[in-house]
Amino acid sequence: MRRVGITFLAALAAVSVVSVSANPLPSTTQLTSSQPTGTKKCHVNPTPFVIPSLQEWDGGSGNWKLNANTRIVVDPSFANGGALDADSTFMRNPSNLKQYAASFQADISEVTGVNVEVVVSSTYGANDIFLTLGADSTDPELNIEGYLLDITRKGISIQGVTSRGAFWGTRSVLQMLILADERGYALPHGHARDFPNYSERKFMQDIARKPIPMSDLHEYATLSSFYKFNTLHHHYNDNPGMQVKSLMPDWQTKYAGFRLRTENPEYSMYASNDTSYTKQDMREFQDFIKARGLDLIPEIDTPAHSLCFTKFHPNWSIQNDTARGDWLDLGNPEVQPFLEGLWTEFIDWFDSREVSIGADEYDPTKGDLARKFINSMHDYFATNFNRSIRMWGSDVRLQGSIEINQNIHTDHWDWTYSSPVDLVKRGHKVSNLNAPDSYLVPRTLSYEDFIDSRKIYNMWEPWVFDIFDKTNTSRNLSPNEPLLTGGGLGNWNDFLSESVTRVELFDRVSRALDVFGEKLWAGAKNSDHISYDKWAPLAKKLRENIPGITLRRRPQTKGQFVMSYDFENGVTDASGNAYDAKLQNGATIVEAGEGHGRAAQLTPDSYISTPVDAISYPYAVAMWIKPSGDQQPNAVILESEDGRVLISNNTSPTVIFEQDGNQYNTQVILPPGQWSHLAFSADTQQTTVFFNMRRVATVQYYNPRWDVLANSTMLVTAPLSTIGSAKGNSMSGLVDGFVVLDRASYGGEMAFLGKRYADALP
């Protein structure tokens, strides 16, 4: 393409500017207070910002600075763990101080570029970060996850009650480093005494109705741990909402997910073909999360939400037309032995001493039958596995005379199904996942699509089950209720995989976990003196710089142009980011004529690879395309791990966006043998498609569920790893003028991108 190169980009940039708008510790621990005793404080350092906020801070003066000589020093007395470590977790074989130090080491390196060394030693120097235990003997009032943090001229020291508590101290230091990037990673001298208000700080995720790769689960764990969540809860089986059989005669054909794959043929048939996890997958995952302070509660939800079983055994469903097809018949003598055998097959996959049996939304006419089942499962787990169980609150909905065993931990989620106040009166431990406040359900009309972080920050607390009537003791618990274990965020994917992309989902969760982490650890303390408007920008900076996270899909760029290939000088990137591409498998640069100068030519086997995998919203992507007359089915224009842009598919001649295996049509048809300008742009609301510099469509998902029947706009993640496909299915033809912006664009600007070559249009 003959174009004005950098001058052209500078001109567009100019147009765009117009258009886009504490007490010291004993000396034997080497932990010292930064505040001299008996002296007047001068230049006291304010409380550092971290999420969740520090419970107590005694600021000193001066700073400690990370440097090339910094080491992470692990106390040899506790390198392999402390006496209380097993009491701080549900998990067998919890991580020790040395393992946590390795996680911290990797995080510091990614955030700062400084490769710190981990050593085991009883002494440390002024440049070092010292990890040790024993804070409970120094400060008996600290709870089991508490820690003491000292930042002084003698170095940084983190002393936990347990190894996990010390790890939470490293999260505070890590966040301070992220926010100190413009100060050369200088941290303020001072002493912190920090501890959680609640023992359970949970992120629950429905991974049954949205296939989520194991790599993504690792990133959700990293995200949760960053905010000092200590529990993941995975919901392994489910199906879309069901009507009774008389209204849904095709119930056996509906999607049903079961994510655990065993080699045992008695149970292997139930595993989902799209995504499922092996025993080795779960072993590696649990080792990963334990080194980040997390427990895992596994859930197999029965006797409702069980289409993954009843579709194979329809005689196990309740045999009448007024029942849902996903309800197992607890009166069938084959059902409970099957469920006990199912759990026996999978129980050893998991280290947790507590598991969830689900037990929600079952047939309300069978209350006592369900209550008997729940109690028998409690006894089965206690007797056979020495494990406890939990369930979703269901006692109000499942009326009956049989009392549910009070040793069963209850996740309260809806007042029509359970009352947390009554549960506590009857002796049950309760966790707060009350909907809608704690429910994130993408593209729903009933719950939150995006969590209202301002509302949660200003109004929600783990003890609050009615945010609009917080003083009503019949609707809320006491903040100090001993049976209130905590709460968290629940992510449900009711409308299945096609309703939300992996990147959209991660974005929603990441925008919510920080504020829930704040309230679960420190409660209202921070929001009493820091307004949400001051909190949110710092929270955003932390969220955008969490080490180990790739799902943000935001490539680094020096300006608004991420990539620009005009092909006049091969595949050199003109954006200034040096994202030079490579011609692969016979892709060539040719003289294109028709005012385009040089362009890239692709055949089905050839492609252009780039160093950028994808970009998430906001963005804009634009290019000129001249397809040849013959195209393979599902020929690829752009491709990455997240999806593809196709010229067409087997059923539609229009350009297709594919995300996570789901396809979305557009109204764009690329005529063969002619130059066309194709562009698409995503903001926070929609993905807009432009054809020949005119807005022609938005990418939409049609929700066919009987109680919705509505279109929703999708936010497509733009695939950028290859122009064409590395899998031998590239489009045939010419590509020119390929540009990627890191912000959304609009019709007039798209016309500016393409107008130089408008005379090539038919």
Side-chain angles (χ1 to χ4, degrees), residues 206-211 235 237-244 248 250-259 272 274 301 304-308 310-311 324-327 361 441 492-499 701 703-708:
D206 169 11
I207 60 177
R209 288 179 283 198
K210 170 68 179 176
H235 181 79
N237 69 292
D238 215 326
N239 43 262
M242 305 288 285
Q243 293 177 290
V244 297
M248 188 177 279
D250 61 344
W251 61 271
Q252 284 180 259
T253 67
K254 302 300 181 182
Y255 182 86
F258 185 75
R259 299 299 173 203
S272 299
D274 50 7
D301 192 0
H305 302 277
S306 297
L307 184 61
C308 58
T310 59
K311 71 188 307 178
R324 289 178 8 188
D326 65 335
W327 285 345
E361 297 188 296
V441 188
W492 295 96
N493 298 303
D494 288 20
F495 300 147
L496 306 182
S497 177
E498 58 265 31
S499 68
Y701 152 72
N703 192 331
R705 201 170 109 159
W706 77 92
D707 57 346
V708 180

Side-chain angles (χ1 to χ4, degrees), residues 532-545:
Y532 178 80
D533 289 333
K534 292 181 179 179
W535 182 88
L538 293 171
K540 181 176 183 290
K541 182 171 182 179
L542 288 177
R543 183 169 65 245
E544 293 177 350
N545 290 279

Side-chain angles (χ1 to χ4, degrees), residues 81 115 131 145 196 206 248 269 272 306 310 326 349 475 478 496 505 509 533 544 567 644 647 657 692 729:
N115 295 315
L131 304 183
E145 292 184 85
D206 169 11
M248 188 177 279
M269 70 181 81
S272 299
S306 297
T310 59
D326 65 335
W349 290 29
R475 300 281 293 177
S478 164
L496 306 182
L505 181 60
V509 172
D533 289 333
E544 293 177 350
F567 302 113
R644 305 185 294 177
I647 279 190
F657 287 91
N692 288 340
N729 198 38

Side-chain angles (χ1 to χ4, degrees), residues 1 3 564-567 596 598-599 622-624 675 677 735-739 753 757:
M1 172 183 279
R3 51 186 306 181
S564 178
Y565 306 131
D566 63 10
F567 302 113
H596 277 262
R598 307 184 79 197
M623 72 197 82
W624 286 88
W675 282 108
H677 193 260
V735 177
D736 200 3
F738 185 85
V739 176
L753 280 169
Y757 310 100

